[in-house]
Amino acid sequence: MNHILLIEDEESVSTVIKGYLEKEGYTVHCAISGLKGLDLLKTVDFKLIILDLMLPDISGEEVCKIIRQSSDVHIFMLTAKGSLNDKIEGLNIGADEYLIKPFSPRELTARVNALFRRISSKFPSSKVIFDDGYLRIDCDKRTVQILKQDVPFTPNEFDIICALVSAKGSVLSREQLIDKIFGVDFSGYDRTIDVHIKNIRKKIEIDTKNPKYVLTVMKAGYKFGGEK
Ligand code: CA
């Protein structure tokens, strides 16, 4: 089932979001504080968490960090701050997408629909597996392992690495990656992809300054360098 957890203390905002998403057929559970949200998280198998950054008890960042310790559920963060730095910081702590307040409920709905389309159709039985003995990426099972140990990847990081592996050494531009990952006009920045790439390199490259797997192609984009 399509369960969404909405953690937002402003009732006027959450009522509108809930209304729009329920019209689309989602089941929306609302929490008015970070701790209440974390409690609800234990009871239902959520596919998406919509998380406000400014909450009365613990901050959205804290909630995000706690969730990421045990889950790779999709997280959309709502923020009134809206500066690029907040965006980057949020991506580093594991949020997948951003909506800057005030945003249109239609935009949120479009992004949620795009996400659920991706969840249900992403890499359908793609059987794309890369394995060089050190690094193993299985696009079907959505796992990344180094020396047979699971490496935690956020959904967006996983989508990026899988898009690159599936391209078999061809270059993908930032726009192509944004298109593959977000599936809708993404009102973010190209930098978003760069931040994800940086985080991916930290996780899988032995030497991040001299990457072997995720290669930058000057003025073009990125490509996977692990193919023999
Ligand atoms: Ca708030």
Side-chain angles (χ1 to χ4, degrees), residues 14-119:
S14 70
T15 305
V16 171
I17 294 176
K18 188 174 155 74
Y20 267 83
L21 292 177
E22 285 185 342
K23 243 187 268 170
E24 298 286 316
Y26 301 103
T27 306
V28 182
H29 305 246
C30 296
I32 54 161
S33 74
L35 292 173
K36 290 207 168 94
L38 289 170
D39 270 351
L40 264 175
L41 201 57
K42 294 175 195 149
T43 62
V44 181
D45 179 23
F46 291 105
K47 295 284 185 289
L48 168 66
I49 296 168
I50 300 172
L51 176 60
D52 187 33
L53 194 63
M54 306 289 273
L55 294 166
D57 50 357
I58 56 174
S59 72
E61 284 111 322
E62 281 302 316
V63 175
C64 194
K65 279 185 201 161
I66 293 167
I67 294 170
R68 277 288 172 259
Q69 286 166 10
S70 61
S71 166
D72 68 349
V73 64
H74 288 81
I75 300 176
F76 285 8
M77 204 169 260
L78 307 178
T79 168
K81 292 188 195 165
S83 77
L84 185 61
N85 280 343
D86 288 331
K87 263 194 142 170
I88 300 291
E89 191 180 317
L91 288 164
N92 277 326
I93 59 168
D96 297 295
E97 292 193 35
Y98 266 85
L99 280 131
I100 311 293
K101 286 180 175 178
F103 54 86
S104 83
R106 273 171 215 276
E107 186 190 354
L108 175 66
T109 308
R111 292 231 207 149
V112 172
N113 284 337
L115 171 76
F116 277 87
R117 272 200 306 276
R118 266 155 50 206
I119 292 173

Side-chain angles (χ1 to χ4, degrees), residues 4 11 25 46 66 105 129 140 161 165 168 178 195 200 202:
I4 297 172
E11 228 183 296
F46 291 105
I66 293 167
I129 293 175
D140 221 18
I161 194 75
V165 169
K168 293 188 192 303
I178 287 169
V195 171
I200 290 170
K202 273 190 222 152

Side-chain angles (χ1 to χ4, degrees), residues 95 142 212 214:
R142 296 183 70 81
K212 174 182 173 191
V214 179

Side-chain angles (χ1 to χ4, degrees), residues 184-228:
V184 285
D185 286 345
F186 178 56
S187 53
Y189 305 84
D190 287 0
R191 277 288 304 280
T192 304
I193 294 291
D194 296 346
V195 171
H196 284 311
I197 294 278
K198 204 172 144 199
N199 291 336
I200 290 170
R201 282 180 176 149
K202 273 190 222 152
K203 292 178 182 182
I204 64 172
E205 300 285 358
I206 295 166
D207 178 2
T208 53
K209 296 241 185 312
N210 185 20
K212 174 182 173 191
Y213 297 110
V214 179
L215 308 181
T216 303
V217 181
M218 276 304 193
K219 296 202 167 102
Y222 294 101
K223 70 174 186 179
F224 189 67
E227 297 294 335
K228 286 163 207 107

